[in-house]
Amino acid sequence: MENCIYWEYESTGRIEIIECWIDDISQSYISCSEDGSGNEGYTSHTNNEEVYQIKDNNLNPCMKKIMDSIKTLSNDLKGIIKKFSGNSTGFNWELKDGTTNSGSTAQTSTNYNVTSGTVSTTFDTNQWNQASDLSWVRTILHESIHAYVISVEYNTSTSAEKIELLGPNWLNRFTNKGHDFIANNYIEPITDALVEYGAKKGYNLSRSFYKDLAWGGLQGTDAFNNYDYKDRALNVIKIEATKKDMNGNTKTQKGQDAGC
C-alpha cells in the first residue's frame, strides 16, 4: 500500500506532498487455463491519501513569507511533522495573527476542534514587531510541536499509539504541560531546522548560536536550568525578539528584519 501525506493550503488551494511510503500487500493466487497450466503470485499496491491542512488565511503577510521559506527546508517544519506522523493521525493546523492572552509571541490553543480536526496557533506580530526572522522561525517550529502533540492527544487512544508518534517519554507531555517535553526531546531538531534556514538565508552563524535560540520559550524548564550556556542563551533569545539584551541595551540582531 502506498501512503502519502499532503499539505493543503486553504488560502491558495495548493497541495504539496510531504512524504510517501509503501506497505506491500501480497496476494497469492493461481490462474488456471483449460489445459491445467497456470501462474501464481503477485504483489499489488494501492494508494491511501492522508491530508494535513495548514490554514493560513488569517496569518500576517510577513509570517506567510516566513512560512514559505520554512517549507523549502529538509529539517524544517515538514521534517519534524514527518518524524511525528508516521502513518497515523491527522494534523490540521490553523495559523493566525492576533493578540495572545499571555503576552507571549505565540499561543497554541489546547482546545482541539473536533469538527474540523484543527489545532490553532495565534502569533502576536503586533506586540512583537521587533522580532527577527530567526526569532519567528524558532517560534513557528516551537508551536508546531505543541500543535502536533495536542493533535495526537485527541486522535489516539492507546499508549502504544502515543509512543509510536511521540516517543517513549510521551507521558511527560501530560505531567509538565509540554515545555519540559519539548526541552527534553526536540532541542536538536529545532536547532537543525534553524541551522538549515540560516544557511539558505546566507547567515554565517555558529551552531551554538542556533542552539541557544532554540531554547526560546523553554526558559524555566529543568533542562534549560541545567544548560551550561543559559545566560548566553537568554541574551540571544531576547536580542532576536526585541533588539535588546537582558540588561536593556540595544543590540544588533543576527537575523533580518521580519517585516512584521
Side-chain angles (χ1 to χ4, degrees):
M1 176 179 292
E2 183 182 12
N3 301 275
C4 290
I5 298 175
Y6 298 83
W7 272 357
E8 178 181 341
Y9 291 81
E10 188 175 79
S11 60
T12 63
R14 182 167 56 84
I15 293 177
E16 176 184 358
I17 294 176
I18 299 177
E19 178 184 25
C20 289
W21 64 94
I22 294 177
D23 297 323
D24 287 340
I25 299 177
S26 298
Q27 180 178 348
S28 297
Y29 70 99
I30 297 176
S31 60
C32 297
S33 61
E34 291 183 359
D35 63 4
S37 63
N39 298 309
E40 63 177 311
Y42 74 90
T43 300
S44 63
H45 302 291
T46 58
N47 187 66
N48 179 36
E49 297 182 359
E50 295 189 27
V51 177
Y52 298 91
Q53 292 185 333
I54 288 186
K55 304 177 181 181
D56 59 359
N57 301 50
N58 298 314
L59 195 61
N60 188 305
C62 67
M63 293 293 284
K64 285 186 180 182
K65 184 178 179 180
I66 291 173
M67 280 296 298
D68 285 342
S69 296
I70 287 175
K71 64 185 181 56
T72 65
L73 308 178
S74 60
N75 286 308
D76 63 339
L77 191 59
K78 288 187 297 186
I80 291 175
I81 293 173
K82 280 197 299 183
K83 180 179 179 180
F84 295 164
S85 64
N87 56 2
S88 247
T89 82
F91 182 91
N92 300 309
W93 192 19
E94 180 185 19
L95 296 84
K96 57 187 178 182
D97 192 67
T99 302
T100 60
N101 295 333
S102 60
S104 59
T105 52
Q107 179 176 306
T108 296
S109 174
T110 57
N111 296 320
Y112 182 83
N113 188 321
V114 178
T115 301
S116 62
T118 299
V119 180
S120 64
T121 299
T122 300
F123 298 90
D124 195 340
T125 55
N126 183 54
Q127 181 172 334
W128 296 88
N129 56 18
Q130 298 296 310
S132 71
D133 62 334
L134 289 174
S135 182
W136 282 120
V137 170
R138 195 281 312 161
T139 299
I140 291 170
L141 294 168
H142 176 108
E143 296 303 324
S144 77
I145 300 172
H146 280 308
Y148 190 79
V149 169
I150 291 168
S151 179
V152 169
E153 289 179 18
Y154 281 87
N155 286 283
T156 59
S157 57
T158 68
S159 295
E161 290 176 297
K162 291 179 173 64
I163 289 172
E164 178 184 358
L165 297 171
L166 299 176
N169 297 320
W170 67 270
L171 189 58
N172 292 344
R173 164 64 185 91
F174 303 95
T175 57
N176 55 35
K177 301 182 180 179
H179 278 157
D180 280 291
F181 179 77
I182 295 175
N184 292 331
N185 295 279
Y186 299 114
I187 287 296
E188 294 303 326
I190 293 173
T191 301
D192 290 340
L194 289 169
V195 167
E196 186 179 359
Y197 175 87
K200 287 184 178 291
K201 296 291 285 187
Y203 299 148
N204 184 21
L205 303 169
S206 66
R207 182 177 179 84
S208 61
F209 168 83
Y210 290 117
K211 186 169 184 177
D212 287 347
L213 185 60
W215 286 101
L218 302 173
Q219 303 94 311
T221 62
D222 289 342
F224 181 76
N225 290 336
N226 291 323
Y227 182 48
D228 290 339
Y229 308 103
K230 57 180 176 293
D231 291 336
R232 185 185 69 191
L234 286 171
N235 274 301
V236 166
I237 295 163
K238 183 77 170 179
I239 292 168
E240 293 305 311
T242 68
K243 295 186 178 179
K244 294 183 183 296
D245 64 17
M246 293 297 292
N247 294 319
N249 301 313
T250 300
K251 296 291 184 179
T252 302
Q253 294 173 320
K254 303 293 187 183
Q256 297 176 356
D257 185 348
C260 294

